[in-house]
Amino acid sequence: MSKIIIGRYIPGNSIIYKMDPRGKILASFLFIAIIFLANNWITYSILTIFTLLAVIATGLKPKNFWDGVKPFIWIIFFTALLQLFFSSGGKIYWHWGIFTLSSYGLITSIYLFIRFVVIILISTVLTVTTTSLQIADGLEWILTPLKYLKVPVAEIALVMSIALRFVPTLMDETVKIANAQRARGADFNDGSLIQRAKAVIPILIPLFTNSLTVALDLATAMESRGYQENHVRSRYRVLKWSKYDWLNLGYFLLLTLLLMVFRTK
Amino acid sequence: MSKEIISVKNVSFTYRDSKKKVLNNISFTVNKGEWVSIVGHNGSGKSTLTKLLNGLLIADDPKNSAIYIDQLLMSENNVWKIRDKIGIVFQNPDNQFVGATVEDDVAFGLENRNVTRSQMLKIVPEVLKEVDMLPYKKTEPQNLSGGQKQRVAIAGILVVNPEIIILDEATSMLDPEGRNEILSIIRQLQKEKDITVLSITHNIEEINKSDRVLVLNRGNLLKIGTPDEIFAEKTLIEEAGLELPFVYQLKEELKRRGLQIPGSIKTEEELVDYLCQ
């Protein structure tokens, strides 16, 4: 449990790893927007092919992506089934009470299924190939225009990177506290729902006070190292836009164009 | 050489929500390049004193008291200039690690001072080399040992070239090996760069090796003097909740059994040589 990596970044070396997180985040947003352009079997095949190519380009094992889809599998099937039995139109194959199995329902449920899976696959490609810190840096860059609306972007970015830096530390702490309580007889896996919820209290309260102590200590340490709020700071970590990122955006623009050309009016 | 770098005059301090004075009318001076240990019971005001020195806390009664750091009076205008001169290594290595990787953390102080990136790229590896952490440049804090984290913390304050390093029980959460590593790194730096070191510690061997010792008890300054002078006063040591170093304990025991050892003997090697004669 102490080795939990948020966003489940898996280290690798393929071309997607060399891409700038800003480009990857923007491309993922773009992808989710353009997915709704697809409305016939040609466009859906294009979408599927482009997604699979992106997945292959990560150079990771298919199992990683299956892990990404797995938690959502019930939602996907449930919505696809609803779509399948509750839409009518086209040829009707089977009819019983409120349930109808029609050719229209069949096609839309397949489209829905594809739509779900490609969204999950593309977001998995993003999180698996990008460290959480890179994502935070990328988001900071994307948020920069909000400066003009007086949003404290630099502070938000610092908060994000400190939060990410403390995720593993607090995870370790949680495990330690849970073990310490177990050593005194606490039982976290048995009993009714209410009993189990109560059993979490001896973990949560120490964890909470602990986080506050850490926050105070960290604030003292930061201040004594010269941190001043609202002060101009330089940056050590910078993002570099490379030729791979043009490739990345070009890829998704090409996809957008193809979808626009082949969609039925 | 013996230039005053820290000068504290009549400083008292009371926390806002209590009536008791944590520090009571303290005055002392420290010369440049000295290694001064600050000792005392838990709750004797040691940590408060260090926070006063870098302006994290403000002393009571500013009219009659003063803190000078390198000729600069502690005041609202000077506090950031003073913080540039003082680096503090705190007790818990986990809670002072700001960056997500070693190099990020070391660069934090430079970022705050708006140093350009090209300069940072030069300074950070140099400093990491000094504390022997260069191979861990890209490592995340959870993959480092406590001693390594403290070395990164030292690097984090060395990047801004402080005149004074304060160790706020910086080695108390480390194993003996980690502690010796940290102390020897700081000793070396102290010699190379003529840095002044203030160290809050309970470690008797470290106290024995320092130039002077400052003994606090319940907010009062009991004595400031060389380790020898401090260890000579038995009541003082008891009041401060200290133990004698091993060499002194042995000398006491030998004295009780009728063997007088000259006062000039302070280290184990000297004692061994003397006893073999």
Side-chain angles (χ1 to χ4, degrees):
Chain A
M1 187 159 170
S2 68
K3 285 288 162 207
I4 282 187
I5 306 158
I6 77 154
R8 293 183 315 138
Y9 169 78
I10 300 166
N13 233 336
S14 64
I15 177 169
I16 293 193
Y17 284 92
K18 298 195 183 90
M19 287 175 183
D20 193 299
R22 293 170 293 183
K24 284 195 266 190
I25 295 169
L26 287 178
S28 308
F29 284 146
L30 175 69
F31 182 82
I32 289 166
I34 63 171
I35 218 168
F36 298 99
L37 286 174
N39 62 356
N40 56 26
W41 67 269
I42 304 177
T43 42
Y44 270 104
S45 334
I46 295 172
L47 206 58
T48 316
I49 292 167
F50 269 73
T51 310
L52 289 180
L53 283 177
V55 167
I56 292 166
T58 59
L60 293 168
K61 286 190 201 112
K63 189 183 171 296
N64 297 317
F65 292 94
W66 167 240
D67 286 343
V69 177
K70 208 160 54 181
F72 299 102
I73 205 91
W74 292 113
I75 290 192
I76 297 174
F77 274 120
F78 184 67
T79 30
L81 281 179
L82 284 184
Q83 194 69 253
L84 184 61
F85 287 114
F86 288 101
S87 37
S88 53
K91 232 188 242 166
I92 291 169
Y93 300 116
W94 182 73
H95 185 83
W96 183 79
I98 50 168
F99 300 107
T100 326
L101 185 64
S102 63
S103 60
Y104 180 77
L106 195 64
I107 291 167
T108 45
S109 66
I110 291 172
Y111 285 169
L112 193 88
F113 182 80
I114 295 175
R115 207 183 274 172
F116 256 117
V117 172
V118 290
I119 288 180
I120 295 168
L121 284 182
I122 286 291
S123 32
T124 313
V125 168
L126 172 71
T127 55
V128 157
T129 61
T130 322
T131 61
S132 40
L133 201 64
Q134 282 180 311
I135 293 184
D137 285 346
L139 282 178
E140 185 196 352
W141 180 82
I142 291 170
L143 291 178
T144 317
L146 294 179
K147 261 186 201 157
Y148 300 105
L149 298 173
K150 307 250 184 235
V151 178
V153 176
E155 275 78 15
I156 293 176
L158 188 75
V159 168
M160 276 199 287
S161 69
I162 288 176
L164 290 173
R165 173 247 169 281
F166 273 96
V167 167
T169 313
L170 289 178
M171 279 287 175
D172 285 350
E173 202 63 42
T174 316
V175 174
K176 259 188 233 160
I177 296 170
N179 285 340
Q181 301 291 13
R182 264 193 209 109
R184 294 172 175 76
D187 189 357
F188 301 114
N189 302 320
D190 270 325
S192 68
L193 203 62
I194 294 170
Q195 272 173 328
R196 278 199 214 186
K198 274 187 182 160
V200 181
I201 293 173
I203 301 182
L204 276 190
I205 291 183
L207 193 65
F208 202 72
T209 50
N210 219 330
S211 324
L212 291 179
T213 323
V214 173
L216 279 177
D217 279 1
L218 189 71
T220 317
M222 282 169 65
E223 211 179 320
S224 57
R225 281 168 73 181
Y227 178 75
Q228 296 176 65
E229 218 182 320
N230 306 320
H231 230 252
V232 186
R233 302 179 68 234
S234 51
R235 292 188 58 96
Y236 183 73
R237 259 193 341 258
V238 291
L239 301 166
K240 264 200 224 96
W241 192 262
S242 67
K243 58 176 194 275
Y244 298 111
D245 301 297
W246 292 117
L247 199 68
N248 178 18
L249 280 195
Y251 183 78
F252 281 94
L253 286 179
L254 178 68
L255 173 62
T256 319
L257 269 177
L258 284 176
L259 289 183
M260 298 234 263
V261 169
F262 286 104
R263 78 189 297 245
T264 40
K265 302 269 150 33
Chain B
M1 163 70 198
S2 62
K3 189 181 134 214
E4 260 179 35
I5 191 152
I6 301 174
S7 156
V8 176
K9 284 179 188 139
N10 306 324
V11 164
S12 300
F13 184 78
T14 323
Y15 277 102
R16 215 184 292 159
D17 45 4
S18 79
K19 289 212 163 135
K20 230 181 94 200
K21 277 190 176 173
V22 180
L23 289 176
N24 190 10
N25 210 15
I26 295 218
S27 306
F28 67 92
T29 58
V30 175
N31 294 329
K32 193 171 167 57
E34 262 191 314
W35 183 302
V36 176
S37 291
I38 303 175
V39 300
H41 270 302
N42 289 335
S44 59
K46 304 174 303 249
S47 292
T48 307
L49 182 62
T50 63
K51 283 182 184 158
L52 284 168
L53 289 180
N54 93 338
L56 287 168
L57 298 174
I58 297 166
D60 298 346
D61 193 12
K63 273 181 205 127
N64 300 320
S65 67
I67 297 174
Y68 290 93
I69 306 291
D70 206 10
Q71 283 19 272
L72 280 172
L73 175 68
M74 173 67 71
S75 69
E76 211 160 314
N77 299 329
N78 282 340
V79 67
W80 293 104
K81 275 187 219 155
I82 287 175
R83 278 182 201 169
D84 279 351
K85 294 176 186 291
I86 300 183
I88 306 188
V89 183
F90 293 94
Q91 180 175 23
N92 190 328
D94 259 322
N95 302 359
Q96 54 184 314
F97 211 106
V98 189
T101 61
V102 167
E103 50 176 355
D104 279 336
D105 190 67
V106 174
F108 181 74
L110 295 172
E111 289 180 327
N112 291 336
R113 286 161 182 84
N114 208 8
V115 176
T116 59
R117 181 156 189 272
S118 53
Q119 272 180 297
M120 286 198 267
L121 288 177
K122 250 196 298 180
I123 301 169
V124 171
E126 273 172 25
V127 173
L128 280 175
K129 209 171 186 177
E130 282 182 54
V131 298
D132 207 12
M133 285 293 287
L134 197 55
Y136 298 93
K137 208 168 97 169
K138 304 242 178 243
T139 314
E140 287 150 8
Q142 69 266 27
N143 300 327
L144 295 173
S145 74
Q148 289 173 325
K149 277 182 219 166
Q150 289 300 58
R151 276 193 268 165
V152 176
I154 295 171
I157 57 178
L158 282 179
V159 282
V160 290
N161 277 323
E163 309 256 345
I164 303 163
I165 292 181
I166 297 178
L167 306 175
D168 190 348
E169 299 198 43
T171 58
S172 66
M173 290 175 84
L174 304 179
D175 52 40
E177 202 181 316
R179 171 184 299 150
N180 291 337
E181 261 174 30
I182 299 290
L183 289 177
S184 68
I185 285 175
I186 295 182
R187 272 217 179 82
Q188 206 188 332
L189 290 168
Q190 185 206 12
K191 272 188 212 124
E192 279 170 17
K193 303 188 175 178
D194 201 21
I195 293 176
T196 312
V197 180
L198 285 189
S199 172
I200 296 180
T201 182
H202 293 287
N203 182 326
I204 207 72
E205 297 306 325
E206 194 196 324
I207 297 169
N208 197 16
K209 277 187 190 164
S210 53
D211 297 318
R212 281 197 297 160
V213 186
L214 193 154
V215 187
L216 283 176
N217 189 26
R218 290 187 198 154
N220 296 307
L221 179 63
L222 285 187
K223 193 176 169 94
I224 178 162
T226 61
D228 229 26
E229 288 166 17
I230 302 289
F231 292 135
E233 288 186 48
K234 262 191 142 181
T235 47
L236 184 74
I237 287 170
E238 269 164 30
E239 258 180 274
L242 287 176
E243 258 179 60
L244 282 175
F246 177 69
V247 179
Y248 287 79
Q249 278 179 24
L250 191 64
K251 271 162 74 176
E252 284 285 311
E253 288 294 318
L254 289 171
K255 201 159 132 195
R256 211 144 35 106
R257 289 177 170 81
L259 189 61
Q260 262 310 341
I261 311 268
S264 61
I265 287 173
K266 285 164 213 153
T267 64
E268 277 180 45
E269 291 85 46
E270 283 171 356
L271 189 64
V272 169
D273 284 345
Y274 180 82
L275 288 177
C276 288
Q277 275 173 17

